[in-house]
Amino acid sequence: MSERTAHQKVALVTGANKGIGRGAAEQLAALGMTVLIGSRDPRRGEEAAAALRAAGGDVHAVTLDVTDEASVQEAAKQVEERFGHLDVLINNAGITGSGQVSPEDAYDQVPSSVELDMVRAVFETNVFGVVAVTNAMLLLLRRSPAPRIVNVSSHAASLTITADPDGPMAALLPSAAYSPSKTALNALTVQYANELRKDRILVNAVAPGFVDTDSNNHTGFLTVAQGAAVLVRLATLDADGPTAGFFGDEGPVPW
Ligand code: NAI
């Protein structure tokens, strides 16, 4: 391994061929990191990587389906062979489960009538996928002098906010799938942070805000760049930065 490679920061962003993940990839590349675009579809991953390379970034595609253990293991092998280590892991890949509808319209997630398969599928990606990817990448993260893990959660994960009948999320339909999956992701964030604190691996959850992407049929009011900013901030924390926290652009988000 060359001297340059040994000191070059490498970031992996899952589900980064589009949306907020792609925005984060673009910003991390602009900071000079080597950025790996995790994408289920190799063609879409390569298209996104090529576009960001054309803008001057050192960006590469890695095929990665977070729900497929073989794909996760193969991605970890590829990252090890091509880059040797990882400094930043952003667990961004996520699904609403309701297709391209805004959370206000996710009638198929209302607790009393939700299909259990929907709940399972959403947890498979948003929660179990994060465990699979994080564990597969930990060996590579441990080779970094300052590893950072960012789990992309949501304000809809906050029990404090969602339990308030007059709160900012009161207009959302009750959800048995998406919101609980992100609450579980927050819980997982704290448990990983607690385990990895002694190894100085900082692990935090972020809420990007309501961002204009495919996942809400472009009803969000923030740009992808605005939504991605908080991912990048937590991915580039100094050594004395927080761990086991939950942050939005506005600051700490209540659990
Ligand atoms: P998006 O639909 O544009 O992007 C999601 C990405 O995840 C896509 O690239 C998709 O291919 C990928 N993905 C889905 N399942 C995958 C799997 N099994 N393996 C690998 N990749 C997979 O949506 P968006 O909005 O950019 O979402 C990114 C993250 O931000 C998600 O975790 C989402 O829950 C979260 N979020 C989004 C908000 C918004 O307003 N857009 C608000 C709060 C959280």
Side-chain angles (χ1 to χ4, degrees), residues 15 17 20 40 64-66 92 153 178 182 209 211 213 215-216:
N17 53 287
I20 298 167
R40 280 177 295 188
L64 175 56
D65 180 338
V66 305
N92 165 79
S153 182
Y178 183 74
K182 294 296 189 180
V211 181
T213 67
S215 77
N216 51 35

Side-chain angles (χ1 to χ4, degrees), residues 123-184:
F123 270 69
E124 199 64 54
T125 300
N126 296 3
V127 185
F128 309 146
V130 172
V131 177
V133 172
T134 303
N135 289 353
M137 300 299 164
L138 257 184
L139 177 79
L140 299 172
L141 285 160
R142 288 184 189 284
R143 294 180 186 162
S144 164
R148 307 286 177 255
I149 299 174
V150 181
N151 292 333
V152 182
S153 182
S154 164
H155 288 93
S158 167
L159 297 176
T160 306
I161 294 174
T162 55
D164 180 355
D166 302 315
M169 308 291 275
L172 295 192
L173 280 178
S175 161
Y178 183 74
S179 291
S181 78
K182 294 296 189 180
T183 310

